[in-house]
Amino acid sequence: MSKTAILEIDGKKYEFPIVEGTENELAIDIKSLRGDTNGITTLDPGYKNTGSCESAITFLNGEEGILRYRGYAIEELAEKADFLEVAYLLIFGELPTKTQLEKFHNDIKAQSHVDEDVKKIIDGFPKSAHPMGVLSSLTSALVAFNPSSVNVDSEEEMYNAIVRILAKFPVLTAWAYRKRVGLPLDYGDDNLGYVENFLKMMFKKPSGEYNSNKVVVESLDKLLILHADHEQNCSTSTVRIVGSSHAGLFVSISAGIAALWGPLHGGANQAVIEMLEAIKEDGGDSKKFMAKAKDKDDPFRLMGFGHRVYKNFDPRAKIIKRSADNVLDALGIDDPVLDIAKGLEREALEDSYFVDRKLYPNVDFYSGIIYRALGIPVEMFTPMFALGRLPGWIAQWREMRLRKEPIGRPRQVYIGESLRSFKDISKR
Ligand code: SDX
């Protein structure tokens, strides 16, 4: 017997079907609401209670701290898979065979060049430009050099656009960094793995060989897996709604990068390190910052804490926290900021303000400590998040297009002026 929801307005009852997800989540299907009720809609700022789509890509349970990509637990994928495998899984729905993965990687390598004229665009940016702004612009600019990536109706055309952006985005990310530090915009080595090649593109010095470090490669690979998708978060919803107008994949991703930049979203990983450094500079007394975070009159928030969905520990934060200890030990790094972060976490988890609001460390709280240990500068932390999230954005965009979802166009409740007549300027 399928469940339904009854809505009563002014004595009249309206019945709506309830849809049930694979993991028994329930949602009221209100597709017919406005038509059935002659114009009544819902109001839900920030879409805290609203599902935008049905999706088979990622499942998360915020109350229990569960995260799965295509049914696989994040803990298992982080331990046993590599980033390109997870990218394939998210986009195409299954873990690849060895042959499929090799073909996928070869197709990406075949597209790993970026038109030399893109360097002229990069030349136009000041060195001080934030890499997220550079990346959003360059990703959009890529369309001009890959026009076939725009009108992708067939799965083959979609595949070609997908391997192009997976190939070129790491190059653009490395170039955005190299531009800031005045290094030549160079390539890595297609004989290397996807993540190892990216690190070489980032850090290879013009005069010397780049010797990659296994610990660095493996920990960045794991971080990228942990960031790869997260259902309908702000930037993914942005990618979906831009793509729903049938704008191409590259510009949809460009819009997602812009959304991720915000300090309440992916920009938090940079803000966390800046906050931890401020606490260190201030003598390490986190109590002052805790008080600021709890003060309603102070806009300061404890960055890296809280989450729209997780009202329990963010499972990614747990993995990253463990990994931070391992990476710093392996690299022989003693970063006092890690101890400050752990102290802050301990204090917050004993403080009723945070406990009552179910504010736990999220994915951004410890990730910056590892990025820093890997030699990645703070302004590149959010671009790392974008590099990790790229397969998730692609997967969600592809699912939206294959399911032929309608163009996204929310309604509103108008609270402005009622009809009034124009007044000549002489009378205003
Ligand atoms: C990501 O959605 C995703 O999946 C995102 C992400 C992904 O993988 O894509 O997981 C990545 O964006 C992680 C979140 C990174 N952002 C931060 O770390 C910034 C700090 N956190 C917050 O700004 C906040 O927690 C949000 C934005 C993450 C969530 O905000 P919500 O769900 O809109 O909750 P809210 O703002 O309504 O807060 C509820 C209460 C409020 O207090 P009251 O009005 O009830 O008294 O909790 C308070 C808030 O003031 N609060 C905080 C806080 N976060 C929430 N107070 C102090 N410090 C914080 N960090």
PDB file of all heavy atoms in Angstrom, residues 388-418:
ATOM      1  N   GLY A 388      38.824  17.588  -6.278  1.00  0.00           N
ATOM      2  CA  GLY A 388      38.197  16.367  -5.741  1.00  0.00           C
ATOM      3  C   GLY A 388      36.742  16.270  -6.133  1.00  0.00           C
ATOM      4  O   GLY A 388      36.258  15.201  -6.515  1.00  0.00           O
ATOM      5  N   ARG A 389      36.016  17.386  -6.104  1.00  0.00           N
ATOM      6  CA  ARG A 389      34.568  17.392  -6.344  1.00  0.00           C
ATOM      7  C   ARG A 389      34.209  17.295  -7.823  1.00  0.00           C
ATOM      8  O   ARG A 389      33.075  16.986  -8.174  1.00  0.00           O
ATOM      9  CB  ARG A 389      33.973  18.676  -5.735  1.00  0.00           C
ATOM     10  CG  ARG A 389      32.468  18.814  -5.767  1.00  0.00           C
ATOM     11  CD  ARG A 389      31.660  17.650  -5.165  1.00  0.00           C
ATOM     12  NE  ARG A 389      32.046  17.220  -3.851  1.00  0.00           N
ATOM     13  CZ  ARG A 389      31.537  17.718  -2.732  1.00  0.00           C
ATOM     14  NH1 ARG A 389      30.635  18.685  -2.763  1.00  0.00           N
ATOM     15  NH2 ARG A 389      31.930  17.269  -1.554  1.00  0.00           N
ATOM     16  N   LEU A 390      35.193  17.487  -8.692  1.00  0.00           N
ATOM     17  CA  LEU A 390      34.928  17.473 -10.140  1.00  0.00           C
ATOM     18  C   LEU A 390      34.180  16.228 -10.607  1.00  0.00           C
ATOM     19  O   LEU A 390      33.153  16.351 -11.289  1.00  0.00           O
ATOM     20  CB  LEU A 390      36.239  17.658 -10.912  1.00  0.00           C
ATOM     21  CG  LEU A 390      36.129  17.711 -12.437  1.00  0.00           C
ATOM     22  CD1 LEU A 390      35.262  18.883 -12.892  1.00  0.00           C
ATOM     23  CD2 LEU A 390      37.524  17.807 -13.076  1.00  0.00           C
ATOM     24  N   PRO A 391      34.584  15.010 -10.239  1.00  0.00           N
ATOM     25  CA  PRO A 391      33.833  13.834 -10.696  1.00  0.00           C
ATOM     26  C   PRO A 391      32.394  13.817 -10.184  1.00  0.00           C
ATOM     27  O   PRO A 391      31.485  13.389 -10.893  1.00  0.00           O
ATOM     28  CB  PRO A 391      34.609  12.651 -10.115  1.00  0.00           C
ATOM     29  CG  PRO A 391      35.924  13.149  -9.698  1.00  0.00           C
ATOM     30  CD  PRO A 391      35.758  14.612  -9.443  1.00  0.00           C
ATOM     31  N   GLY A 392      32.185  14.307  -9.003  1.00  0.00           N
ATOM     32  CA  GLY A 392      30.820  14.364  -8.445  1.00  0.00           C
ATOM     33  C   GLY A 392      29.961  15.335  -9.222  1.00  0.00           C
ATOM     34  O   GLY A 392      28.818  15.017  -9.611  1.00  0.00           O
ATOM     35  N   TRP A 393      30.521  16.497  -9.515  1.00  0.00           N
ATOM     36  CA  TRP A 393      29.763  17.474 -10.320  1.00  0.00           C
ATOM     37  C   TRP A 393      29.420  16.884 -11.684  1.00  0.00           C
ATOM     38  O   TRP A 393      28.296  16.994 -12.170  1.00  0.00           O
ATOM     39  CB  TRP A 393      30.584  18.739 -10.524  1.00  0.00           C
ATOM     40  CG  TRP A 393      30.691  19.645  -9.345  1.00  0.00           C
ATOM     41  CD1 TRP A 393      29.810  19.781  -8.309  1.00  0.00           C
ATOM     42  CD2 TRP A 393      31.769  20.556  -9.059  1.00  0.00           C
ATOM     43  NE1 TRP A 393      30.271  20.722  -7.416  1.00  0.00           N
ATOM     44  CE2 TRP A 393      31.455  21.211  -7.848  1.00  0.00           C
ATOM     45  CE3 TRP A 393      32.954  20.874  -9.704  1.00  0.00           C
ATOM     46  CZ2 TRP A 393      32.294  22.182  -7.283  1.00  0.00           C
ATOM     47  CZ3 TRP A 393      33.784  21.848  -9.154  1.00  0.00           C
ATOM     48  CH2 TRP A 393      33.456  22.480  -7.954  1.00  0.00           C
ATOM     49  N   ILE A 394      30.415  16.210 -12.291  1.00  0.00           N
ATOM     50  CA  ILE A 394      30.191  15.592 -13.615  1.00  0.00           C
ATOM     51  C   ILE A 394      29.092  14.541 -13.526  1.00  0.00           C
ATOM     52  O   ILE A 394      28.145  14.501 -14.315  1.00  0.00           O
ATOM     53  CB  ILE A 394      31.490  14.966 -14.144  1.00  0.00           C
ATOM     54  CG1 ILE A 394      32.531  16.044 -14.459  1.00  0.00           C
ATOM     55  CG2 ILE A 394      31.209  14.103 -15.369  1.00  0.00           C
ATOM     56  CD1 ILE A 394      33.933  15.476 -14.736  1.00  0.00           C
ATOM     57  N   ALA A 395      29.185  13.682 -12.498  1.00  0.00           N
ATOM     58  CA  ALA A 395      28.213  12.592 -12.334  1.00  0.00           C
ATOM     59  C   ALA A 395      26.797  13.136 -12.156  1.00  0.00           C
ATOM     60  O   ALA A 395      25.838  12.665 -12.781  1.00  0.00           O
ATOM     61  CB  ALA A 395      28.601  11.719 -11.138  1.00  0.00           C
ATOM     62  N   GLN A 396      26.680  14.157 -11.346  1.00  0.00           N
ATOM     63  CA  GLN A 396      25.355  14.730 -11.069  1.00  0.00           C
ATOM     64  C   GLN A 396      24.792  15.428 -12.310  1.00  0.00           C
ATOM     65  O   GLN A 396      23.618  15.322 -12.644  1.00  0.00           O
ATOM     66  CB  GLN A 396      25.460  15.722  -9.895  1.00  0.00           C
ATOM     67  CG  GLN A 396      25.927  15.111  -8.591  1.00  0.00           C
ATOM     68  CD  GLN A 396      24.820  14.500  -7.748  1.00  0.00           C
ATOM     69  OE1 GLN A 396      23.640  14.687  -8.066  1.00  0.00           O
ATOM     70  NE2 GLN A 396      25.174  13.787  -6.697  1.00  0.00           N
ATOM     71  N   TRP A 397      25.680  16.128 -13.050  1.00  0.00           N
ATOM     72  CA  TRP A 397      25.250  16.811 -14.266  1.00  0.00           C
ATOM     73  C   TRP A 397      24.789  15.785 -15.302  1.00  0.00           C
ATOM     74  O   TRP A 397      23.734  15.931 -15.919  1.00  0.00           O
ATOM     75  CB  TRP A 397      26.421  17.653 -14.807  1.00  0.00           C
ATOM     76  CG  TRP A 397      26.145  18.465 -16.040  1.00  0.00           C
ATOM     77  CD1 TRP A 397      25.729  19.779 -16.080  1.00  0.00           C
ATOM     78  CD2 TRP A 397      26.262  18.048 -17.395  1.00  0.00           C
ATOM     79  NE1 TRP A 397      25.590  20.199 -17.389  1.00  0.00           N
ATOM     80  CE2 TRP A 397      25.914  19.164 -18.231  1.00  0.00           C
ATOM     81  CE3 TRP A 397      26.629  16.852 -18.013  1.00  0.00           C
ATOM     82  CZ2 TRP A 397      25.927  19.095 -19.625  1.00  0.00           C
ATOM     83  CZ3 TRP A 397      26.632  16.795 -19.413  1.00  0.00           C
ATOM     84  CH2 TRP A 397      26.290  17.896 -20.191  1.00  0.00           C
ATOM     85  N   ARG A 398      25.562  14.704 -15.441  1.00  0.00           N
ATOM     86  CA  ARG A 398      25.250  13.646 -16.418  1.00  0.00           C
ATOM     87  C   ARG A 398      23.921  12.973 -16.046  1.00  0.00           C
ATOM     88  O   ARG A 398      23.059  12.755 -16.920  1.00  0.00           O
ATOM     89  CB  ARG A 398      26.388  12.631 -16.426  1.00  0.00           C
ATOM     90  CG  ARG A 398      26.210  11.471 -17.381  1.00  0.00           C
ATOM     91  CD  ARG A 398      27.439  10.570 -17.393  1.00  0.00           C
ATOM     92  NE  ARG A 398      27.289   9.439 -18.271  1.00  0.00           N
ATOM     93  CZ  ARG A 398      26.750   8.266 -17.903  1.00  0.00           C
ATOM     94  NH1 ARG A 398      26.291   8.126 -16.649  1.00  0.00           N
ATOM     95  NH2 ARG A 398      26.642   7.267 -18.751  1.00  0.00           N
ATOM     96  N   GLU A 399      23.732  12.700 -14.754  1.00  0.00           N
ATOM     97  CA  GLU A 399      22.476  12.049 -14.318  1.00  0.00           C
ATOM     98  C   GLU A 399      21.294  12.970 -14.626  1.00  0.00           C
ATOM     99  O   GLU A 399      20.252  12.540 -15.129  1.00  0.00           O
ATOM    100  CB  GLU A 399      22.530  11.770 -12.813  1.00  0.00           C
ATOM    101  CG  GLU A 399      21.274  11.104 -12.277  1.00  0.00           C
ATOM    102  CD  GLU A 399      21.348  10.811 -10.781  1.00  0.00           C
ATOM    103  OE1 GLU A 399      21.296  11.787  -9.995  1.00  0.00           O
ATOM    104  OE2 GLU A 399      21.474   9.637 -10.406  1.00  0.00           O
ATOM    105  N   MET A 400      21.444  14.254 -14.326  1.00  0.00           N
ATOM    106  CA  MET A 400      20.369  15.222 -14.569  1.00  0.00           C
ATOM    107  C   MET A 400      20.025  15.248 -16.060  1.00  0.00           C
ATOM    108  O   MET A 400      18.857  15.222 -16.433  1.00  0.00           O
ATOM    109  CB  MET A 400      20.834  16.589 -14.068  1.00  0.00           C
ATOM    110  CG  MET A 400      19.926  17.775 -14.282  1.00  0.00           C
ATOM    111  SD  MET A 400      20.209  18.602 -15.881  1.00  0.00           S
ATOM    112  CE  MET A 400      21.955  19.013 -15.749  1.00  0.00           C
ATOM    113  N   ARG A 401      21.052  15.235 -16.935  1.00  0.00           N
ATOM    114  CA  ARG A 401      20.784  15.286 -18.377  1.00  0.00           C
ATOM    115  C   ARG A 401      20.203  13.974 -18.882  1.00  0.00           C
ATOM    116  O   ARG A 401      19.266  13.954 -19.683  1.00  0.00           O
ATOM    117  CB  ARG A 401      22.082  15.621 -19.129  1.00  0.00           C
ATOM    118  CG  ARG A 401      22.544  17.064 -18.992  1.00  0.00           C
ATOM    119  CD  ARG A 401      21.569  18.064 -19.574  1.00  0.00           C
ATOM    120  NE  ARG A 401      21.301  17.844 -20.996  1.00  0.00           N
ATOM    121  CZ  ARG A 401      22.023  18.387 -21.983  1.00  0.00           C
ATOM    122  NH1 ARG A 401      23.057  19.171 -21.665  1.00  0.00           N
ATOM    123  NH2 ARG A 401      21.760  18.158 -23.251  1.00  0.00           N
ATOM    124  N   LEU A 402      20.723  12.829 -18.402  1.00  0.00           N
ATOM    125  CA  LEU A 402      20.215  11.541 -18.889  1.00  0.00           C
ATOM    126  C   LEU A 402      18.790  11.294 -18.418  1.00  0.00           C
ATOM    127  O   LEU A 402      18.002  10.646 -19.111  1.00  0.00           O
ATOM    128  CB  LEU A 402      21.134  10.389 -18.439  1.00  0.00           C
ATOM    129  CG  LEU A 402      22.532  10.359 -19.070  1.00  0.00           C
ATOM    130  CD1 LEU A 402      23.333   9.165 -18.535  1.00  0.00           C
ATOM    131  CD2 LEU A 402      22.451  10.303 -20.607  1.00  0.00           C
ATOM    132  N   ARG A 403      18.454  11.849 -17.230  1.00  0.00           N
ATOM    133  CA  ARG A 403      17.082  11.664 -16.732  1.00  0.00           C
ATOM    134  C   ARG A 403      16.148  12.721 -17.311  1.00  0.00           C
ATOM    135  O   ARG A 403      14.962  12.769 -16.998  1.00  0.00           O
ATOM    136  CB  ARG A 403      17.060  11.730 -15.203  1.00  0.00           C
ATOM    137  CG  ARG A 403      17.634  10.510 -14.511  1.00  0.00           C
ATOM    138  CD  ARG A 403      17.743  10.732 -13.017  1.00  0.00           C
ATOM    139  NE  ARG A 403      16.468  11.064 -12.410  1.00  0.00           N
ATOM    140  CZ  ARG A 403      15.612  10.164 -11.896  1.00  0.00           C
ATOM    141  NH1 ARG A 403      15.898   8.889 -11.971  1.00  0.00           N
ATOM    142  NH2 ARG A 403      14.478  10.529 -11.329  1.00  0.00           N
ATOM    143  N   LYS A 404      16.733  13.584 -18.190  1.00  0.00           N
ATOM    144  CA  LYS A 404      15.929  14.636 -18.844  1.00  0.00           C
ATOM    145  C   LYS A 404      15.139  15.458 -17.816  1.00  0.00           C
ATOM    146  O   LYS A 404      13.917  15.687 -17.967  1.00  0.00           O
ATOM    147  CB  LYS A 404      15.009  14.048 -19.906  1.00  0.00           C
ATOM    148  CG  LYS A 404      15.754  13.289 -21.027  1.00  0.00           C
ATOM    149  CD  LYS A 404      14.880  12.938 -22.201  1.00  0.00           C
ATOM    150  CE  LYS A 404      15.598  12.097 -23.265  1.00  0.00           C
ATOM    151  NZ  LYS A 404      17.027  12.389 -23.449  1.00  0.00           N
ATOM    152  N   GLU A 405      15.824  15.876 -16.724  1.00  0.00           N
ATOM    153  CA  GLU A 405      15.170  16.675 -15.682  1.00  0.00           C
ATOM    154  C   GLU A 405      14.729  18.009 -16.283  1.00  0.00           C
ATOM    155  O   GLU A 405      15.386  18.538 -17.175  1.00  0.00           O
ATOM    156  CB  GLU A 405      16.157  16.943 -14.539  1.00  0.00           C
ATOM    157  CG  GLU A 405      16.714  15.701 -13.859  1.00  0.00           C
ATOM    158  CD  GLU A 405      15.774  15.134 -12.787  1.00  0.00           C
ATOM    159  OE1 GLU A 405      14.779  15.813 -12.457  1.00  0.00           O
ATOM    160  OE2 GLU A 405      16.057  14.017 -12.311  1.00  0.00           O
ATOM    161  N   PRO A 406      13.632  18.592 -15.801  1.00  0.00           N
ATOM    162  CA  PRO A 406      13.160  19.893 -16.315  1.00  0.00           C
ATOM    163  C   PRO A 406      14.100  21.026 -15.903  1.00  0.00           C
ATOM    164  O   PRO A 406      14.867  20.884 -14.952  1.00  0.00           O
ATOM    165  CB  PRO A 406      11.796  20.053 -15.656  1.00  0.00           C
ATOM    166  CG  PRO A 406      11.888  19.257 -14.404  1.00  0.00           C
ATOM    167  CD  PRO A 406      12.788  18.089 -14.705  1.00  0.00           C
ATOM    168  N   ILE A 407      14.029  22.158 -16.577  1.00  0.00           N
ATOM    169  CA  ILE A 407      14.843  23.326 -16.202  1.00  0.00           C
ATOM    170  C   ILE A 407      14.456  23.731 -14.777  1.00  0.00           C
ATOM    171  O   ILE A 407      13.282  23.711 -14.392  1.00  0.00           O
ATOM    172  CB  ILE A 407      14.619  24.490 -17.193  1.00  0.00           C
ATOM    173  CG1 ILE A 407      15.567  25.660 -16.870  1.00  0.00           C
ATOM    174  CG2 ILE A 407      13.166  24.949 -17.220  1.00  0.00           C
ATOM    175  CD1 ILE A 407      15.635  26.722 -17.950  1.00  0.00           C
ATOM    176  N   GLY A 408      15.480  24.047 -13.989  1.00  0.00           N
ATOM    177  CA  GLY A 408      15.230  24.430 -12.587  1.00  0.00           C
ATOM    178  C   GLY A 408      14.674  25.844 -12.536  1.00  0.00           C
ATOM    179  O   GLY A 408      15.274  26.765 -13.099  1.00  0.00           O
ATOM    180  N   ARG A 409      13.532  25.998 -11.874  1.00  0.00           N
ATOM    181  CA  ARG A 409      12.939  27.348 -11.813  1.00  0.00           C
ATOM    182  C   ARG A 409      12.034  27.395 -10.589  1.00  0.00           C
ATOM    183  O   ARG A 409      10.818  27.207 -10.716  1.00  0.00           O
ATOM    184  CB  ARG A 409      12.126  27.591 -13.099  1.00  0.00           C
ATOM    185  CG  ARG A 409      11.932  29.073 -13.393  1.00  0.00           C
ATOM    186  CD  ARG A 409      10.681  29.542 -12.745  1.00  0.00           C
ATOM    187  NE  ARG A 409      10.363  30.941 -13.069  1.00  0.00           N
ATOM    188  CZ  ARG A 409      10.036  31.847 -12.157  1.00  0.00           C
ATOM    189  NH1 ARG A 409      10.006  31.508 -10.876  1.00  0.00           N
ATOM    190  NH2 ARG A 409       9.766  33.073 -12.498  1.00  0.00           N
ATOM    191  N   PRO A 410      12.626  27.689  -9.382  1.00  0.00           N
ATOM    192  CA  PRO A 410      11.824  27.730  -8.150  1.00  0.00           C
ATOM    193  C   PRO A 410      10.799  28.876  -8.195  1.00  0.00           C
ATOM    194  O   PRO A 410      10.906  29.790  -9.018  1.00  0.00           O
ATOM    195  CB  PRO A 410      12.860  28.002  -7.049  1.00  0.00           C
ATOM    196  CG  PRO A 410      14.179  27.753  -7.638  1.00  0.00           C
ATOM    197  CD  PRO A 410      14.062  27.940  -9.112  1.00  0.00           C
ATOM    198  N   ARG A 411       9.783  28.809  -7.386  1.00  0.00           N
ATOM    199  CA  ARG A 411       8.813  29.904  -7.233  1.00  0.00           C
ATOM    200  C   ARG A 411       9.222  30.773  -6.050  1.00  0.00           C
ATOM    201  O   ARG A 411      10.334  30.590  -5.506  1.00  0.00           O
ATOM    202  CB  ARG A 411       7.409  29.328  -7.037  1.00  0.00           C
ATOM    203  CG  ARG A 411       6.949  28.385  -8.124  1.00  0.00           C
ATOM    204  CD  ARG A 411       7.065  28.992  -9.513  1.00  0.00           C
ATOM    205  NE  ARG A 411       6.308  30.201  -9.723  1.00  0.00           N
ATOM    206  CZ  ARG A 411       5.166  30.260 -10.411  1.00  0.00           C
ATOM    207  NH1 ARG A 411       4.645  29.138 -10.904  1.00  0.00           N
ATOM    208  NH2 ARG A 411       4.541  31.397 -10.603  1.00  0.00           N
ATOM    209  N   GLN A 412       8.385  31.737  -5.648  1.00  0.00           N
ATOM    210  CA  GLN A 412       8.686  32.639  -4.533  1.00  0.00           C
ATOM    211  C   GLN A 412       7.386  33.089  -3.883  1.00  0.00           C
ATOM    212  O   GLN A 412       6.304  32.824  -4.402  1.00  0.00           O
ATOM    213  CB  GLN A 412       9.423  33.879  -5.053  1.00  0.00           C
ATOM    214  CG  GLN A 412       8.543  34.685  -6.038  1.00  0.00           C
ATOM    215  CD  GLN A 412       9.038  36.072  -6.331  1.00  0.00           C
ATOM    216  OE1 GLN A 412      10.236  36.354  -6.251  1.00  0.00           O
ATOM    217  NE2 GLN A 412       8.112  36.975  -6.649  1.00  0.00           N
ATOM    218  N   VAL A 413       7.513  33.756  -2.750  1.00  0.00           N
ATOM    219  CA  VAL A 413       6.359  34.476  -2.174  1.00  0.00           C
ATOM    220  C   VAL A 413       6.710  35.949  -2.269  1.00  0.00           C
ATOM    221  O   VAL A 413       7.726  36.393  -1.719  1.00  0.00           O
ATOM    222  CB  VAL A 413       6.137  34.070  -0.698  1.00  0.00           C
ATOM    223  CG1 VAL A 413       5.045  34.951  -0.075  1.00  0.00           C
ATOM    224  CG2 VAL A 413       5.751  32.600  -0.609  1.00  0.00           C
ATOM    225  N   TYR A 414       5.928  36.699  -3.037  1.00  0.00           N
ATOM    226  CA  TYR A 414       6.216  38.126  -3.260  1.00  0.00           C
ATOM    227  C   TYR A 414       5.816  38.937  -2.032  1.00  0.00           C
ATOM    228  O   TYR A 414       4.671  38.836  -1.533  1.00  0.00           O
ATOM    229  CB  TYR A 414       5.454  38.624  -4.493  1.00  0.00           C
ATOM    230  CG  TYR A 414       5.628  40.107  -4.752  1.00  0.00           C
ATOM    231  CD1 TYR A 414       6.853  40.618  -5.167  1.00  0.00           C
ATOM    232  CD2 TYR A 414       4.566  41.007  -4.519  1.00  0.00           C
ATOM    233  CE1 TYR A 414       7.026  41.978  -5.397  1.00  0.00           C
ATOM    234  CE2 TYR A 414       4.741  42.366  -4.730  1.00  0.00           C
ATOM    235  CZ  TYR A 414       5.970  42.861  -5.158  1.00  0.00           C
ATOM    236  OH  TYR A 414       6.152  44.208  -5.352  1.00  0.00           O
ATOM    237  N   ILE A 415       6.715  39.737  -1.495  1.00  0.00           N
ATOM    238  CA  ILE A 415       6.376  40.545  -0.304  1.00  0.00           C
ATOM    239  C   ILE A 415       6.657  42.022  -0.571  1.00  0.00           C
ATOM    240  O   ILE A 415       6.790  42.823   0.361  1.00  0.00           O
ATOM    241  CB  ILE A 415       7.200  40.065   0.919  1.00  0.00           C
ATOM    242  CG1 ILE A 415       8.709  40.068   0.603  1.00  0.00           C
ATOM    243  CG2 ILE A 415       6.759  38.679   1.379  1.00  0.00           C
ATOM    244  CD1 ILE A 415       9.580  39.818   1.818  1.00  0.00           C
ATOM    245  N   GLY A 416       6.702  42.379  -1.881  1.00  0.00           N
ATOM    246  CA  GLY A 416       7.014  43.790  -2.210  1.00  0.00           C
ATOM    247  C   GLY A 416       5.774  44.658  -2.274  1.00  0.00           C
ATOM    248  O   GLY A 416       4.700  44.296  -1.778  1.00  0.00           O
ATOM    249  N   GLU A 417       5.893  45.783  -2.942  1.00  0.00           N
ATOM    250  CA  GLU A 417       4.811  46.774  -3.056  1.00  0.00           C
ATOM    251  C   GLU A 417       3.669  46.213  -3.899  1.00  0.00           C
ATOM    252  O   GLU A 417       3.902  45.478  -4.849  1.00  0.00           O
ATOM    253  CB  GLU A 417       5.353  48.030  -3.767  1.00  0.00           C
ATOM    254  CG  GLU A 417       6.479  48.741  -3.036  1.00  0.00           C
ATOM    255  CD  GLU A 417       5.944  49.533  -1.842  1.00  0.00           C
ATOM    256  OE1 GLU A 417       4.710  49.766  -1.787  1.00  0.00           O
ATOM    257  OE2 GLU A 417       6.756  49.868  -0.971  1.00  0.00           O
ATOM    258  N   SER A 418       2.417  46.588  -3.584  1.00  0.00           N
ATOM    259  CA  SER A 418       1.326  46.249  -4.517  1.00  0.00           C
ATOM    260  C   SER A 418       1.310  47.313  -5.614  1.00  0.00           C
ATOM    261  O   SER A 418       2.101  48.246  -5.597  1.00  0.00           O
ATOM    262  CB  SER A 418      -0.017  46.196  -3.759  1.00  0.00           C
ATOM    263  OG  SER A 418      -0.059  47.212  -2.804  1.00  0.00           O
TER     264      SER A 418
END
